[in-house]
Amino acid sequence: MNLLSSQLLRSSGGPQPSVSLSVVVPVFNEQAVLAEFHRRLRRVLEGIGLPYEVVYVDDGSDDDTPRLLQQLHASHPEIAYARLTRNFGKEAAMSAGLELARGRAVVVIDADLQDPPELIPLMVEAWQDGFDVVNMRRRSQDGVSWLRRGIARAFYRFIERISEVSIPRDVGDFRLLSRRAVDALNQLPERGRFMKGLFAWIGFPQTTLDFDRDARAAGTTKWPFFKLVGLAVEGVTSFSAMPLRLATWLGLATAGGAFAYAFYFFVKALIVGDSVHGFPTLIVSLLFLGGLQLLCIGVLGEYVARIFTEAKHRPIFLIDVFLPAQAPKMDSHIAGSPC
Ligand code: UDP
Ligand code: MG
């Protein structure tokens, strides 16, 4: 399958569910951890005993990752391998994996072993108990600086407050979704894909399990600070109109303040007469108002930029190569599966 886009995948009706469990792994320059990751994942999945596939989505890596993944695909029939045409970002890579996955349940997991694969059996149990979405909440995080952890926590709390849907706190992308939850997600047309928000938006019976997040097994984070800020802005502007409303309130408050100040000068001029004072006040208020206006235009610009991106209707990702799993890994003692 060559140069597939999300729209093409959608119009072809999407892949039919034929395996019980799919594991979607977005991968970007992870040559240092891939072999160890697959070894641990495989051991866990074999232990569950459901027919499974692992969908690796290579998000335009420029290290040895593509070669390693192709090797893994050649030697394991349960591995599907997709390569995007360039680095589209983790949110797009996850969207690609969710569209390619065929399982009745789909787990999304990072490749760097920060999300322990050993927790997947617990997630599958929750799914078998009837939940469509199993969220994994970070109780603690190893190997992440206190500053980054603090900012992430503050962001989760902030977006929880202002978002139109309830986005659960400290829940990353590690989660399990039932087939109907995946189908619902795949139907969402937006290009700005803040997945943590979209996972919450679809609703369905959801449950949350707590876990301790490990440190990255090897390699470095692919989310430098500025990219994280970009994701945070994407999240806020995709799930809340609060900044726009805030701009209106700021405008009203400043205008009200200016009116009160003018009234004060008017009364003062009546009582003590006029004098040419207040040059610093003039400059400060001028700069303050100018700054405020630029800020509000900036906020407006963020939303306009998003309308611009959505209006172009470009696909979320393009697939360069797709090698489907040859056969789901079957366990002989399985008879049927839930859902
Ligand atoms: N990732 C990706 N595309 C990107 C950035 C990251 O597919 O543009 C993958 C990465 O390979 C990993 C997961 O997303 O499997 C999480 O990335 P990372 O560990 O760098 O993020 P962090 O855990 O530091 O937030
Ligand atoms: Mg990580």
Side-chain angles (χ1 to χ4, degrees):
M1 212 185 299
N2 257 348
L3 214 65
L4 267 185
S5 72
S6 50
Q7 280 163 347
L8 277 176
L9 274 175
R10 245 176 240 142
S11 62
S12 69
Q16 294 305 308
S18 63
V19 290
S20 288
L21 187 63
S22 297
V23 178
V24 166
V25 194
V27 187
F28 178 51
N29 290 347
E30 300 285 9
Q31 61 178 21
V33 287
L34 267 180
E36 170 66 5
F37 171 78
H38 193 72
R39 196 187 57 73
R40 264 175 70 180
L41 179 69
R42 191 155 183 258
R43 206 174 49 203
V44 171
L45 295 177
E46 297 281 319
I48 296 176
L50 292 175
Y52 70 87
E53 63 169 6
V54 182
V55 183
Y56 283 103
V57 181
D58 172 15
D59 188 15
S61 301
D62 50 20
D63 66 353
D64 220 14
T65 298
R67 198 185 56 81
L68 290 175
L69 285 178
Q70 265 169 7
Q71 266 178 7
L72 276 176
H73 173 265
S75 51
H76 297 85
E78 73 279 12
I79 289 185
Y81 166 65
R83 178 172 168 77
L84 305 188
T85 54
R86 64 171 171 85
N87 179 243
F88 280 86
K90 185 187 176 189
E91 313 292 304
M94 282 192 289
S95 301
L98 288 172
E99 294 208 11
L100 294 168
R102 297 172 301 157
R104 291 160 199 248
V106 181
V107 171
V108 180
I109 188 168
D110 288 357
D112 60 358
L113 290 168
Q114 280 195 285
D115 308 328
E118 288 73 17
L119 296 174
I120 294 177
L122 288 178
M123 300 162 83
V124 169
E125 262 176 40
W127 165 59
Q128 287 170 333
D129 286 344
F131 289 104
D132 285 272
V133 180
V134 185
N135 299 309
M136 299 303 284
R137 183 166 49 207
R138 303 161 182 179
R139 199 166 28 204
S140 68
Q141 277 213 76
D142 269 2
V144 180
S145 75
W146 63 267
L147 180 69
R148 211 176 156 100
R149 223 167 29 218
I151 293 174
R153 284 179 80 86
F155 169 70
Y156 277 119
R157 272 146 197 76
F158 177 65
I159 196 145
E160 190 192 27
R161 269 174 169 260
I162 64 161
S163 161
E164 288 144 14
V165 287
S166 157
I167 298 177
R169 277 184 198 189
D170 303 325
V171 175
D173 297 319
F174 183 27
R175 61 189 89 202
L176 179 145
L177 303 151
S178 68
R179 172 47 47 191
R180 59 182 190 149
V182 173
D183 288 343
L185 265 176
N186 290 345
Q187 273 177 33
L188 301 182
E190 56 240 80
R191 272 79 200 143
R193 292 188 91 73
F194 180 66
M195 295 303 281
K196 293 170 203 29
L198 298 182
F199 287 140
W201 185 89
I202 55 169
F204 293 114
Q206 304 209 358
T207 185
T208 303
L209 307 177
D210 287 308
F211 79 110
D212 298 305
R213 200 161 194 242
D214 294 334
R216 190 173 238 289
T220 51
T221 175
K222 309 299 174 307
W223 289 95
F225 191 69
F226 72 89
K227 251 173 104 178
L228 272 183
V229 173
L231 186 69
V233 174
E234 174 80 56
V236 171
T237 48
S238 302
F239 281 87
S240 171
M242 191 274 266
L244 287 174
R245 254 169 251 137
L246 197 70
T248 314
W249 285 112
L250 262 177
L252 275 178
T254 338
F259 185 75
Y261 203 39
F263 187 70
Y264 161 75
F265 275 118
F266 178 68
V267 174
K268 198 172 153 203
L270 282 184
I271 297 168
V272 289
D274 204 5
S275 59
V276 189
H277 284 311
F279 180 69
T281 327
L282 195 71
I283 284 294
V284 169
S285 45
L286 205 76
L287 290 180
F288 175 70
L289 281 179
L292 209 63
Q293 276 170 355
L294 286 180
L295 184 88
C296 294
I297 294 173
V299 170
L300 205 64
E302 283 294 335
Y303 285 87
V304 174
R306 275 176 178 73
I307 299 171
F308 176 60
T309 312
E310 298 297 333
K312 280 188 287 190
H313 286 291
R314 286 189 187 149
I316 300 159
F317 54 82
L318 289 174
I319 295 181
D320 179 15
V321 179
F322 177 53
L323 306 172
Q326 304 304 313
K329 191 80 181 184
M330 290 292 264
D331 204 315
S332 49
H333 66 267
I334 302 191
S337 54
C339 303

